[in-house]
Amino acid sequence: MKLNLLIKIMSIMALFMLNSCSSDNVDAENLSSEVKPDLVVNYTYNTAELETLDLINDYRASLGLNRLEKINHISYKSEEHDIYMIDHKVFNHDDFIARSENIMKVLRAKTVAENIALNYTTPKSVFNAWLNSPKHKVNIVGNYTHFGIAIKEDPATGEKYYTNIFAKL
């Protein structure tokens, strides 16, 4: 009986951990030296993406923190993750380590963090949700210098996927 209860509790805990909306930092000291991947320089921002970045920067400035500089490569990596989530019908941080390592190798970032969200209708609504979540807020006010974002809509369901990546260069 106790074993069944323990198995159920462990299963619930594992499921909760997989559905987290904020990811831990990764730092550059733990990377192996491999061939440097290509830098993506072109990314076309939509209005919602630019508005969300502005909301984050305005909030940081209101606290006396540095404004973050957007980098197309980071937004491209964010877009790749949105597309992955849409294609696989999941909401998670799968392959965050690979995204982080890529950003560290290409941009020489020291640390990387990620916020994701699902199905908020406006930049203000997702921004407020992130601020009201301690794990997400830590990333928004963290010691970062650059960021990127992608907001993509699932054409089949209309759900909006958000990936916001922060980096310290």
Side-chain angles (χ1 to χ4, degrees):
M1 181 70 172
K2 289 182 182 181
L3 182 59
N4 279 341
L5 181 60
L6 180 61
I7 291 171
K8 287 179 184 178
I9 290 172
M10 296 293 280
S11 297
I12 291 170
M13 288 176 58
L15 182 62
F16 177 75
M17 290 171 67
L18 288 174
N19 286 322
S20 172
C21 295
S22 180
S23 187
D24 290 335
N25 291 346
V26 173
D27 60 48
E29 293 176 14
N30 297 325
L31 295 178
S32 62
S33 60
E34 294 178 13
V35 175
K36 187 175 176 183
D38 291 334
L39 172 69
V40 175
V41 294
N42 295 320
Y43 184 85
T44 303
Y45 293 88
N46 63 44
T47 304
E49 291 165 342
L50 292 172
E51 187 177 338
T52 306
L53 294 175
D54 286 342
L55 287 167
I56 292 168
N57 265 337
D58 291 347
Y59 181 75
R60 288 178 61 88
S62 77
L63 299 176
L65 299 171
N66 62 300
R67 297 179 76 81
L68 304 176
E69 183 181 334
K70 76 177 184 293
I71 294 185
N72 293 346
H73 184 81
I74 297 174
S75 294
Y76 178 80
K77 298 310 286 181
S78 298
E79 180 181 56
E80 282 184 334
H81 187 55
D82 282 350
I83 291 168
Y84 168 84
M85 291 190 291
I86 290 168
D87 287 350
H88 292 87
K89 304 293 185 215
V90 296
F91 175 65
N92 59 35
H93 289 283
D94 283 1
D95 297 325
F96 172 67
I97 298 298
R99 280 188 299 287
S100 299
E101 288 178 347
N102 175 275
I103 291 167
M104 289 176 185
K105 288 176 186 170
V106 171
L107 301 173
R108 300 193 188 281
K110 295 174 181 75
T111 58
V112 178
E114 176 177 87
N115 285 348
I116 62 173
L118 175 62
N119 214 25
Y120 287 88
T121 56
T122 66
K124 186 75 171 164
S125 64
V126 74
F127 173 72
N128 287 334
W130 283 337
L131 279 187
N132 289 321
S133 165
K135 287 183 177 182
H136 294 94
K137 186 174 181 179
V138 163
N139 291 340
I140 289 172
V141 301
N143 185 19
Y144 300 105
T145 56
H146 296 78
F147 63 168
I149 193 166
I151 303 170
K152 298 297 171 207
E153 187 173 311
D154 183 336
T157 66
E159 293 179 314
K160 289 184 181 179
Y161 288 79
Y162 297 74
T163 301
N164 183 199
I165 299 177
F166 302 85
K168 180 176 182 175
L169 274 54

